[in-house]
Amino acid sequence: MAAHLARLLTMIVLLLALRLAGSALSSPVLVAAKMLVAAWLPFVTLRLAEEMVRRHAPRLVKLLALSGAGAFSLLAIIFQLVWAGPALIALALFQAAVVVAILTHLWAQRGSISLAERHAVDMLALAFALALPLLATDFAFAFPDLPFRGGSFAAIVFVLACSRLAGVASRPLGLLGDVLLVAGAGVLAALAAYFAGAPAALYPALAATGGAAAALVLLIERFADTPVRGEGILAPIARAAPDEAAILAAHPLLANAVTVTAEALSDLPADLLAALAAKPVVTAARDPMSETLTGAARELLARYGASHLLRLSPAPSPRFLAISGGALDEARLTRELTIVARLLERAP
């Protein structure tokens, strides 16, 4: 998921850079490059959505996103500046169709994920709802009289959403607060220009600069010293009582997890189940000693839509906790869950 998130952020930054370069220099190459990025953004977003719910989208949706990206890429490379009329309408319809398919897929799989991941899915849906009207203003043939184009602001909304996906604060209201803060900074910049007697033509540019600066401050604050400032799951557990029920209730990631009993795993061979139960935490990471054990772990994680299995009791009657990790720092989460497993071994 982190890799797909990084790709999406890279493409958004690239699109913003191309838009900025295109406003200063008119070039067929820049136009073609901008359309290439715009054509592939829906597919990259679809792949991120699949990772968020750990479920593949329907084959038809994947084919739509992939074939559309390929077709519009060829059109951008071959025809370059010929992006008026039917071609622009087709691009807008393609992007809208993929967005609707992504939202449908997220909604259909919403019940199969944990509460923490549900917040992230809802936040991505809110990002779409906020960004789509802004993105639509970029199509000048449909809105020729608008005084501004909102595609860059739509990109900022997605960047703010992605910054929250990269942490533990992936709540829709948090994103809404970010957007209101950025919009408020833009309004304040425009008001300052008004009271300072600046020309009216500068108001949109100053408002955009103020909003972008506020977004940059939010991103810097969010990612600065993240490993140091992030509390993780250990601090709440350290404050809990030393029994199993209190430890599991101390953090939402554990409280919302699903208990997997030995009876639910009765279809697995006894030796394979014992090998899995020998691990405090089971992940999808490859086991260099046994490909069979790797396959069994991944099948079991997929069965419960989990990213980790936390051992509650060892063999011969093992119990696990199927955890859907909302945090993207998988290595850190695995280390912390291993400590929790060791605590549970000694908990009454």
Side-chain angles (χ1 to χ4, degrees):
M1 181 174 171
H4 290 292
L5 180 58
R7 293 188 190 101
L8 179 59
L9 284 171
T10 300
M11 294 192 72
I12 291 174
V13 171
L14 182 58
L15 182 62
L16 288 172
L18 289 170
R19 287 174 61 92
L20 183 61
S23 63
L25 176 64
S26 179
S27 167
V29 175
L30 289 177
V31 174
K34 185 167 64 175
M35 292 305 135
L36 277 171
V37 176
W40 282 97
L41 264 175
F43 179 76
V44 176
T45 307
L46 174 63
R47 291 294 295 118
L48 174 63
E50 287 182 320
E51 291 298 326
M52 287 178 66
V53 296
R54 294 188 305 283
R55 296 292 188 276
H56 286 288
R59 187 182 298 271
L60 182 61
V61 174
K62 286 190 172 185
L63 288 175
L64 170 66
L66 187 58
S67 60
F72 284 106
S73 297
L74 289 176
L75 191 58
I77 294 170
I78 295 172
F79 295 99
Q80 293 185 1
L81 287 178
V82 186
W83 278 93
L88 281 175
I89 294 174
L91 177 62
L93 292 176
F94 161 68
Q95 291 178 329
V98 176
V99 166
V100 170
I102 291 172
L103 291 175
T104 302
H105 178 61
L106 291 175
W107 181 259
Q109 302 299 331
R110 191 175 180 273
S112 66
I113 56 180
S114 72
L115 179 61
E117 290 177 316
R118 222 171 293 154
H119 286 319
V121 167
D122 293 344
M123 189 186 63
L124 188 62
L126 177 62
F128 275 123
L130 294 172
L132 282 179
L134 294 169
L135 190 60
T137 63
D138 268 13
F139 294 93
F141 71 92
F143 305 99
D145 299 325
L146 286 179
F148 73 98
R149 302 298 168 190
S152 298
F153 297 99
I156 289 176
V157 170
F158 267 102
V159 169
L160 290 172
C162 290
S163 73
R164 285 191 169 273
L165 285 178
V168 295
S170 52
R171 291 179 176 271
L173 288 179
L175 174 62
L176 192 59
D178 290 345
V179 173
L180 290 175
L181 182 61
V182 169
V187 171
L188 288 176
L191 287 175
Y194 171 78
F195 288 117
L202 290 178
Y203 294 171
L206 292 173
T209 303
L216 183 61
V217 169
L218 282 174
L219 293 173
I220 292 174
E221 188 276 336
R222 192 156 294 155
F223 288 110
D225 301 324
T226 299
V228 176
R229 297 189 298 117
E231 185 179 61
I233 66 174
L234 293 182
I237 289 172
R239 296 190 289 265
D243 61 273
E244 179 178 298
I247 290 174
L248 296 182
H251 193 278
L253 196 64
L254 303 178
N256 294 317
V258 176
T259 302
V260 181
T261 63
E263 291 75 16
L265 305 174
S266 58
D267 58 321
L268 294 177
D271 57 338
L272 199 56
L273 184 56
L276 289 173
K279 299 182 176 184
V281 177
V282 178
T283 68
R286 180 178 176 273
D287 189 327
M289 304 300 294
S290 174
E291 290 295 335
T292 303
L293 192 59
T294 300
R298 291 176 179 176
E299 190 278 331
L300 199 56
L301 290 168
R303 183 187 301 182
Y304 289 95
S307 60
H308 297 74
L309 291 178
L310 174 68
R311 185 182 66 194
L312 297 179
S313 59
S317 182
R319 288 186 304 132
F320 296 95
L321 203 63
I323 296 171
S324 300
L328 296 183
D329 190 350
E330 184 177 354
R332 174 183 174 179
L333 181 59
T334 302
R335 291 194 300 270
E336 293 186 344
L337 289 177
T338 302
I339 296 173
V340 173
R342 299 303 186 193
L343 290 173
L344 291 173
E345 288 177 359
R346 296 164 175 78

